[in-house]
């Protein structure tokens, strides 16, 4: 029997690793050109990932098995001079031993392979391909290795943006003035105004002139109810649950419309403005009757004009221009004027019913009240106004200061579902702030990320509190709609990574992640970076302190084409969100992001 040769020990020296990589790439170069997908091809996602070497499955017993996880190709231009200036090791520095490191995995992390491959093999064609070397973490072999994420550099040659569709004027009107929010507002308002005009026309010959005051009051109350319910937490969560049940086999055209659910604020504002118009008519009718001596109820007159003033003030401070100038004032007017209006409405209904019951042959006060549709509408409004405050409580918090720019606050008082946000406050009657929750691995707790975006958030970072007020129930966020698409690109900046992790940690799905922020590791810490990498191992993390602010629209489109995605979601500041959404939708790509009233 022939004596079996003893296997040689694995050689993990720098030179052997480089040789192994060079051999692998040389073999790839000799294969037919059609086997190497181009990065900008819409079908490249499937082809690349089908041929990808994952977890070392196809390189077992290879000397580089403990280090190299997979090799794919990407656009890079590297020369010896450029590699040396950037601090990358090259063939000369290796031979002269002028470069030292703790292990071969360190060299690979720093990008040695692309420089050596292109210089030693003369692979000019590789400049058009993608050379990304992913390193498998092996803490036993290399104790100095502590993370699996990488700071990315924006590609020099991203996929070229296509030409925007439609004429410039129509494009601007469609995506800026005729958004889904504006269309919903228009439908609600125009529908009410049609009913308003019809009621006036049909009652023009009545004596005394004008429509019935009860009908006008009912129309105003019904619009207030609709405006209120569309903002109620249970209703919002129910609508998201229904829309998120949309199956993938639905045509993309239908799914992209359903995903605009978060524009429901158009219904809220449309019905609120309509209710104000109806109440103006009610006030005019009461005033006419009072002036003519047919309705001697000064208390009703006083309450009616106070209510009209409250409605007008709520609408005025809800105008985006004034809302952004002083958000705290907007919240205070909305909350306290709204509560006052509900109380005055009760008084108005009782006084009007009392006056009606005093008429000859009229029903009793109690029967008159319960026969009024406005009474039952007000019962529902009152119930849902009180409901969130019945759930008001102060809960213990566990702050984890990440930096002077961000803090992570942990809560253990409840188990929370995927892609939900909560409102917290240190003064429940003053201001509330909504944040996306990140479920913990134990499934019994969650956290949220607060970054410096104003006086209140700055205070929470510099003076962390051990308890916060919470009310109501968690509310579903915009990113929940991403699950009705097969594959998405998510673009975020700064602490927008919180809502993104809220979704990807609790509901993993095929996606590509683009995160642009200053000093991400220093600002948000190692745990957040690891969570990002776990959600998307190929996440493009841009450190704007090092590389400046990139063209986010171009990078979003690059990832959209590269991953063969169906939609783009953006969680960022209002300006960038509008820019990304407009940049994608004007080119026919479904894009979504929170709006000022979502």
């Amino acid at each position: 029997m022939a004596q079996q040769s003893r296997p040689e020990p694995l050689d993990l020296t720098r030179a052997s690793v480089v040789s192994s990589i060079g051999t692998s790439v040389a073999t790839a170069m000799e294969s037919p050109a059609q086997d190497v997908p181009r990065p900008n091809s819409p079908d490249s996602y499937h082809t690349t990932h089908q041929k990808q070497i994952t977890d070392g499955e196809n390189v077992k017993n290879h000397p580089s098995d403990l280090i190299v996880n997979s090799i794919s190709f990407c656009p890079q231009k590297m020369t010896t001079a450029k590699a040396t200036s950037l601090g990358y090791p090259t063939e000369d520095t290796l031979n002269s031993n002028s470069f030292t490191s703790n292990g071969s995995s360190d060299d690979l992390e720093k990008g040695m392979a692309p420089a050596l491959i292109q210089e030693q093999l003369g692979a000019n064609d590789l400049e058009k391909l993608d050379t990304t070397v992913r390193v498998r973490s092996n803490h036993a072999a290399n104790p100095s290795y502590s993370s699996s994420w990488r700071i990315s550099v924006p590609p020099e040659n991203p996929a070229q943006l296509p030409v925007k569709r439609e004429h410039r004027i129509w494009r601007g009107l469609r995506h800026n003035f005729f958004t889904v929010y504006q269309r919903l507002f228009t439908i609600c308002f125009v529908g009410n105004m049609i009913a308003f005009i019809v009621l006036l026309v049909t009652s023009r010959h009545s004596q005394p002139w004008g429509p019935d005051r009860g009908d006008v009051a009912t129309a105003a109350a019904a619009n207030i109810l609709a405006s209120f319910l569309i903002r109620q937490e249970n209703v919002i969560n129910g609508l998201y649950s229904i829309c998120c049940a949309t199956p993938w086999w639905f045509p993309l055209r239908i799914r992209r419309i359903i995903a605009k659910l978060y524009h429901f604020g158009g219904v809220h504002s449309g019905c609120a403005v309509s209710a104000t118009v109806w109440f103006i008519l009610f006030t005019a009718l009461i005033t006419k009757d009072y002036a003519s001596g047919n309705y001697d109820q000064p208390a009703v007159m006083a309450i009616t004009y106070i209510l009209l003033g409250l409605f007008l003030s709520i609408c005025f401070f809800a105008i985006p221009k004034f809302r952004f100038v002083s958000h705290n004032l907007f919240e205070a007017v909305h909350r306290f004027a709204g509560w006052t209006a509900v109380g005055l409405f009760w008084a108005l209904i009782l006084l009007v019913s009392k006056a009606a019951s005093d008429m000859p042959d009229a029903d009793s006060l109690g029967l008159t009240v319960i026969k009024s549709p406005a009474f039952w509408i007000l019962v529902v409004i009152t119930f849902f106004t009180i409901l969130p405050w019945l759930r008001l409580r102060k809960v213990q918090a566990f702050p984890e200061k990440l930096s002077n720019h961000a803090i992570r606050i942990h809560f253990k008082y409840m188990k929370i579902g995927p892609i939900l946000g909560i409102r917290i406050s240190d003064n429940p009657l003053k201001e509330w702030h909504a944040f996306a929750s990140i479920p913990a691995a134990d499934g019994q707790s969650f956290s949220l990320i607060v970054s410096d975006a104003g006086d209140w958030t700055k205070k929470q970072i510099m003076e962390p509190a051990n308890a916060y007020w919470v009310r109501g129930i968690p509310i579903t966020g915009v990113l929940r709609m991403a699950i009705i698409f097969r594959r998405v690109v998510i673009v975020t900046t700064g602490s927008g990574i919180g809502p993104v992790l809220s979704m990807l940690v609790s509901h993993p799905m095929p996606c590509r992640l683009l995160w642009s922020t200053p000093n991400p590791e220093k600002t948000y810490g190692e745990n957040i970076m690891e969570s990002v990498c776990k959600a998307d191992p190929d996440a493009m993390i841009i450190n704007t302190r090092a590389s400046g602010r990139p063209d986010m629209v171009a990078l979003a489109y690059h990832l959209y084409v590269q991953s063969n995605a169906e939609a783009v979601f953006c969680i960022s500041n209002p300006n960038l969100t509008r820019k990304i959404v407009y940049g994608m939708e004007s080119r026919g790509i479904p894009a979504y992001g929170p709006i000022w009233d979502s």
Side-chain angles (χ1 to χ4, degrees):
M1 179 181 296
Q3 185 177 2
Q4 294 182 345
S5 60
R6 185 177 182 180
E8 296 182 9
L10 295 178
D11 183 5
L12 298 180
T13 62
R14 189 179 299 109
S16 67
V17 173
V18 172
S19 176
S20 300
I21 297 173
T23 302
S24 301
V25 176
T27 302
M29 291 178 60
E30 293 174 0
S31 60
Q34 61 269 24
D35 291 339
V36 182
R38 295 295 176 180
N40 293 340
S41 169
D43 298 326
S44 62
Y45 177 87
H46 301 290
T47 308
T48 302
H49 285 268
Q50 287 171 1
K51 293 181 178 296
Q52 213 171 40
I53 303 173
T54 57
D55 296 330
E57 182 178 354
N58 296 331
V59 290
K60 291 181 179 179
N61 301 324
H62 193 280
S64 59
D65 181 62
L66 293 177
I67 298 176
V68 180
N69 183 19
S70 64
I71 298 179
S72 55
F73 295 99
C74 68
Q76 273 196 37
K77 293 184 178 180
M78 184 72 70
T79 63
T80 302
K82 185 175 181 180
T84 304
S85 65
L86 292 175
Y88 292 136
T90 61
E91 185 177 14
D92 295 334
T93 55
L94 283 173
N95 292 336
S96 62
N97 292 325
S98 60
F99 178 84
T100 59
S101 68
N102 293 329
S104 298
S105 61
D106 286 348
D107 296 345
L108 292 171
E109 279 273 82
K110 294 180 178 179
M112 174 185 69
L116 289 177
I117 290 170
Q118 296 201 35
E119 288 300 317
Q120 292 180 347
L121 301 180
N124 295 327
D125 290 341
L126 285 177
E127 293 181 358
K128 305 176 183 178
L129 303 175
D130 197 17
T131 42
T132 303
V133 180
R134 299 180 196 144
V135 181
R136 181 191 307 166
S137 58
N138 190 335
H139 301 273
N142 183 12
S144 65
Y145 184 83
S146 60
S147 65
S148 57
W149 51 268
R150 299 175 298 165
I151 299 298
S152 305
V153 177
E156 295 182 2
N157 300 307
Q160 185 176 1
L161 284 168
V163 178
K164 294 178 181 178
R165 300 182 177 183
E166 302 166 337
H167 190 274
R168 181 178 181 180
I169 297 178
W170 171 244
R171 187 172 66 235
L173 290 174
R174 177 182 178 184
H175 297 294
N176 293 324
F177 296 100
F178 297 148
T179 63
V180 174
Y181 180 96
Q182 299 294 345
R183 296 172 203 170
L184 290 174
F185 176 93
T186 302
I187 291 172
C188 294
F189 185 75
V190 171
N192 272 278
M193 292 307 97
I194 292 175
F196 184 92
I197 294 172
V198 169
L199 187 62
L200 288 178
V201 171
T202 55
S203 61
R204 67 185 184 278
H205 299 304
S206 61
Q207 294 296 331
W209 180 90
D212 180 72
R213 292 193 303 267
D215 294 340
V216 176
T218 300
N223 275 278
I224 294 174
L225 176 62
S227 175
F228 193 88
L229 287 181
I230 199 65
R231 284 294 193 189
Q232 212 281 324
E233 296 132 338
N234 300 86
V235 174
I236 293 174
N237 291 345
L239 290 174
Y240 270 104
S241 297
I242 294 172
C243 292
C244 287
T246 305
W248 284 351
W249 54 264
F250 268 37
L252 180 60
R253 179 180 295 273
I254 295 178
R255 285 183 285 137
R256 70 184 297 175
I257 295 175
I258 294 175
K260 293 287 186 179
L261 169 66
Y262 61 93
H263 285 261
F264 56 76
V267 177
H268 171 76
S269 57
C271 290
V273 173
S274 299
T276 304
V277 174
W278 281 109
F279 200 79
I280 290 174
L281 177 59
F282 177 82
T283 305
L285 294 173
I286 288 286
T287 303
K288 180 182 71 67
D289 291 343
Y290 183 81
S292 63
N294 296 326
Y295 195 75
D296 188 18
Q297 297 290 333
V300 172
M301 284 289 296
I303 293 176
T304 299
Y305 273 93
I306 293 173
L307 277 171
L308 180 60
L310 291 174
F311 289 154
L312 291 174
S313 63
I314 290 174
C315 291
F316 177 80
F317 284 102
I319 297 174
K321 181 179 180 180
F322 300 105
R323 179 174 178 173
F324 295 147
V325 169
S326 181
H327 186 78
N328 290 341
L329 180 60
F330 157 77
E331 277 198 0
V333 171
H334 234 64
R335 179 176 300 116
F336 294 111
W339 291 349
T340 305
V342 172
L344 290 176
F345 246 122
W346 276 110
L348 183 64
I349 286 179
L350 292 177
L351 288 174
V352 171
S353 300
K354 178 65 169 62
S357 65
D358 290 339
M359 301 291 290
D361 299 326
D363 294 325
S364 64
L365 174 61
L367 192 58
T368 302
V369 169
I370 63 175
K371 281 184 176 181
S372 171
F375 167 77
W376 295 106
I377 292 174
L378 191 57
V379 168
V380 177
I381 292 174
T382 304
F383 172 76
F384 283 111
T385 300
I386 297 174
L387 182 61
W389 295 93
L390 294 177
R391 298 163 174 162
L392 178 69
R393 57 202 182 280
K394 197 170 188 178
V395 298
Q396 188 177 10
F398 304 89
E400 175 192 355
K401 188 173 181 180
L402 304 176
S403 65
N404 288 332
H405 181 75
I407 187 172
R408 187 173 188 178
I409 305 175
H410 300 263
F411 294 95
K412 300 181 179 180
Y413 71 95
M414 68 176 295
K415 178 181 178 181
I416 201 164
I419 324 174
L420 294 173
I422 65 167
R423 295 185 179 96
I424 63 173
S425 176
D426 53 4
N427 186 340
L429 293 179
K430 186 178 179 181
E431 56 182 325
W432 289 85
H433 298 265
F435 299 93
S437 60
I438 306 174
D442 59 11
Q444 303 300 317
S445 59
F446 65 95
S447 63
L448 50 88
I449 297 176
V450 179
S451 66
D452 185 6
D455 295 339
W456 190 88
T457 52
K458 185 68 174 179
K459 178 183 176 183
Q460 309 314 309
I461 296 171
M462 304 311 296
E463 302 174 14
N466 294 319
Y468 288 94
W469 290 96
V470 297
R471 66 178 173 89
I473 61 175
I475 303 178
T476 308
V478 175
L479 274 178
R480 177 76 183 275
M481 297 310 304
I483 66 176
I484 72 173
F485 299 100
R486 293 183 176 88
R487 190 177 298 105
V488 298
V489 172
I490 301 178
V491 181
T492 186
T493 59
S495 60
I497 196 63
V500 174
L501 290 179
S502 175
M503 183 191 77
L504 296 181
V505 169
S506 58
H507 193 95
M509 63 174 294
C511 76
R512 288 303 313 276
L513 176 60
L514 169 58
W515 182 28
S516 175
T517 187
N519 300 322
E521 181 186 12
K522 180 180 178 181
T523 303
Y524 297 98
E526 184 75 15
N527 290 336
I528 296 297
M529 301 297 291
E530 292 291 350
S531 297
V532 171
C533 180
K534 183 178 179 181
D536 177 13
D538 296 321
M540 184 179 290
I541 306 173
I542 306 295
N543 181 359
T544 56
R545 286 286 186 268
S547 58
R549 293 186 178 182
D551 186 344
M552 298 293 282
V553 175
L555 291 181
Y557 180 74
H558 176 76
L559 294 180
Y560 171 81
V561 173
Q562 188 183 65
S563 63
N564 197 25
E566 287 188 329
V568 175
F569 282 77
C570 181
I571 305 295
S572 183
N573 59 72
N575 290 333
L576 181 60
T577 300
R578 286 195 298 267
K579 183 177 180 180
I580 294 290
V581 172
Y582 175 79
M584 296 294 107
E585 289 195 330
S586 61
R587 295 173 170 88
I589 301 170
Y592 309 91
I595 59 175
W596 62 276
D597 198 24
S598 61

